[in-house]
Amino acid sequence: MKILYSPASPYSNKVRMGARYAGIKAESVLTDTNANPPELISNNPLGKIPTLITPEGKAIYDSRAIMHFIDRETRGKLYPRNAEKRTEVEMLEALCDGICDSLLAIVYEMRFHPPEKIHQPWIDKQWEKVVRGLDYLNANLPKTGTKLHAGHFALAAMLRYIELRFAGEWQKGRPKLKNWPQKFEKFFPDYAQFKA
């Protein structure tokens, strides 16, 4: 099994951490999406990462689809069986992925446009979403113990990404969120391996 990934991608890191935790053995294949590598394009028409390729050659893409696949393959290692609890985990994952969507929109706006074409109102709108999401998470952190789930990995990946791209710009007024990665790492010691 292979996971085509980029070390800076929070979605890739979420999937790779989830696979590691669930006991799925998958080779991480460093992939440059800008180069349209044949292995990526032939397996994912969107040319996006992460993309998981099964030993049979089946491609699975979109990080949440991959997480659900891993969960099915491991008989429930990433999502609770209880419907209400599962929905809570899925909503946490969606929130963390959504924050990443907004962060990436800001990064791409600044990276791919010349300074005179950067649309600051767009950046401000995306950052407002980030702020609301972070404030919500600081007030509603998931219980974190020996039994981890997909939401934990989405949160861990998002915090690693925001620190990579916006170091020092998100911690103020959010002490619980700021300290959460240290707690998470106690239960997932491999966290340090999943960074850009």
Side-chain angles (χ1 to χ4, degrees), residues 74-90:
T74 59
R75 298 184 181 189
K77 290 265 180 91
L78 295 180
Y79 296 89
R81 294 183 194 276
N82 175 279
E84 186 176 339
K85 289 181 180 176
R86 183 180 181 113
T87 298
E88 287 175 9
V89 169
E90 289 174 344

Side-chain angles (χ1 to χ4, degrees), residues 90-126:
E90 289 174 344
M91 293 302 294
L92 173 60
E93 184 180 7
L95 175 60
C96 294
D97 285 358
I99 291 171
C100 289
D101 293 345
S102 292
L103 293 170
L104 280 161
I106 294 169
V107 169
Y108 291 156
E109 180 72 17
M110 293 165 48
R111 181 180 294 166
F112 295 115
H113 292 110
E116 68 277 6
K117 299 260 180 165
I118 291 174
H119 191 61
Q120 191 60 44
W122 170 254
I123 291 173
D124 295 343
K125 181 77 170 168
Q126 297 307 314

Side-chain angles (χ1 to χ4, degrees), residues 133-189:
L134 295 176
D135 288 344
Y136 178 87
L137 287 167
N138 188 67
N140 299 278
L141 280 174
K143 290 180 182 176
T144 307
T146 54
K147 177 71 172 150
L148 299 175
H149 54 61
H152 291 118
F153 297 109
L155 177 57
M158 182 273 291
L159 290 175
R160 174 114 322 135
Y161 184 74
I162 196 171
E163 185 58 21
L164 172 69
R165 299 294 187 213
F166 301 91
E169 296 181 38
W170 63 272
Q171 294 95 332
K172 188 175 178 183
R174 302 183 187 101
K176 292 179 184 175
L177 195 58
K178 177 184 173 184
N179 293 323
W180 184 83
Q182 295 168 336
K183 184 175 186 179
F184 172 73
E185 195 163 15
K186 288 178 186 174
F187 301 104
F188 187 72

Side-chain angles (χ1 to χ4, degrees), residues 1 3 16 18-26 52 69-70 73-74:
M1 201 170 295
I3 298 174
R16 291 169 64 227
R20 174 81 56 89
Y21 175 76
I24 292 280
K25 293 188 177 173
L52 182 144
F69 171 79
I70 293 169
E73 288 292 298
T74 59

